[in-house]
Amino acid sequence: MSASFHRPIFDKVSLHQDIAKVLVDEVSLRQRVRELGEIINREYAHKDLLLVSVLKGSIIFMADLIRAITIPHEIDFMATSSYGTGVSSSGVVRILKDLNTSIEGRNVIIVEDIIDSGHTLNYLARILQERQPASLRIMTLLDKPERREVDIHVDWVGFSIPNEFVVGYGLDYNEIYRNLPYIGVLKPSVYGAPE
Ligand code: IMP
Ligand code: MG
């Protein structure tokens, strides 16, 4: 291995060792995702529906959610960046990948992993609303209400969680930990803060 590409994270045998505690376990995730799928089945029966997943954090949630949905629907993806890869978002949002499809006149649900300050969703909801969908609603797996800096209406929340940095089930820290099958709190020592 080239020394210039060596990242100490790859020396770890298991990512589980960096988790201080499991906040939402696999069984609870499965149960809640099933409930959210059933809500969509009920509310969007016989309607044209497009689910928009915000990359990359929501991919695992999205993949499980659409398998809990039994009605016909389409999916599309967007990618945003909130400048910086650390543990907090700056409020400046930029689109890295836009939708492939027009949403004019369609029923759209934005599927997010987590709402923290609210800046990302606030921006995304505003630019999608300008494209005149028939309806636009927001479903997030996780919500950290204590951290909100902008007031946004979220239609469905999987779990409200305390103000702690979490990883797993799609959520990352520096692009790692997305594969953990649960939502866990990262040990503060991992991102250089005192325990
Ligand atoms: P917001 O714009 O502050 O609401 O930030 C939302 C984005 O920040 C999410 O889509 C995540 O990518 C990231 N984020 C916020 N909190 C966490 C966390 O606890 N773990 C991992 N990513 C997070
Ligand atoms: Mg995200």
Side-chain angles (χ1 to χ4, degrees):
M1 186 179 14
S2 152
S4 61
F5 284 102
H6 181 258
R7 287 167 71 196
I9 186 82
F10 295 112
D11 293 339
K12 292 181 204 284
V13 173
S14 169
L15 294 173
H16 295 294
Q17 70 191 66
D18 289 347
I19 301 304
K21 66 170 185 270
V22 174
L23 209 56
V24 189
D25 64 22
E26 289 182 69
V27 174
S28 310
L29 282 167
R30 203 175 309 127
Q31 173 60 32
R32 186 68 182 127
V33 171
R34 190 177 305 134
E35 288 169 7
L36 293 172
E38 280 162 10
I39 290 171
I40 292 177
N41 288 337
R42 270 198 310 276
E43 300 218 4
Y44 291 85
H46 314 297
K47 286 185 184 156
D48 165 66
L49 173 61
L50 175 70
L51 299 185
V52 171
S53 161
V54 185
L55 295 170
K56 306 170 206 169
S58 68
I59 59 155
I60 311 274
F61 174 42
M62 180 77 160
D64 284 346
L65 179 67
I66 66 172
R67 285 176 291 182
I69 298 174
T70 54
I71 61 168
H73 64 280
E74 291 179 30
I75 63 172
D76 204 347
F77 296 89
M78 280 187 94
T80 59
S81 157
S82 57
Y83 290 106
T85 51
V87 292
S88 63
S89 115
S90 63
V92 184
V93 181
R94 146 177 94 109
I95 293 186
L96 302 178
K97 186 220 167 291
D98 206 336
L99 297 173
N100 292 344
T101 39
S102 164
I103 60 168
E104 191 178 338
R106 308 197 65 185
N107 296 301
V108 177
I109 303 177
I110 301 176
V111 177
E112 252 289 27
D113 53 352
I114 186 165
I115 304 180
D116 188 37
S117 69
H119 287 296
T120 309
L121 241 289
N122 185 48
Y123 175 78
L124 217 57
R126 205 172 60 231
I127 64 150
L128 293 188
Q129 196 63 62
E130 282 168 9
R131 300 178 189 182
Q132 302 183 312
S135 67
L136 180 66
R137 295 170 91 181
I138 296 171
M139 178 174 283
T140 185
L141 178 67
L142 304 172
D143 183 18
K144 282 190 205 170
E146 287 169 50
R147 298 258 308 167
R148 199 75 86 254
E149 289 170 16
V150 286
D151 191 28
I152 48 163
H153 177 75
V154 184
D155 298 279
W156 303 283
V157 173
F159 300 91
S160 249
I161 62 168
N163 181 16
E164 287 179 294
F165 194 79
V166 293
V167 292
Y169 201 72
L171 288 107
D172 74 303
Y173 169 64
N174 281 347
E175 297 299 326
I176 307 290
Y177 303 97
R178 296 190 197 276
N179 54 316
L180 289 175
Y182 51 76
I183 304 287
V185 178
L186 201 58
K187 289 180 180 166
S189 58
V190 174
Y191 49 86
E195 296 279 344

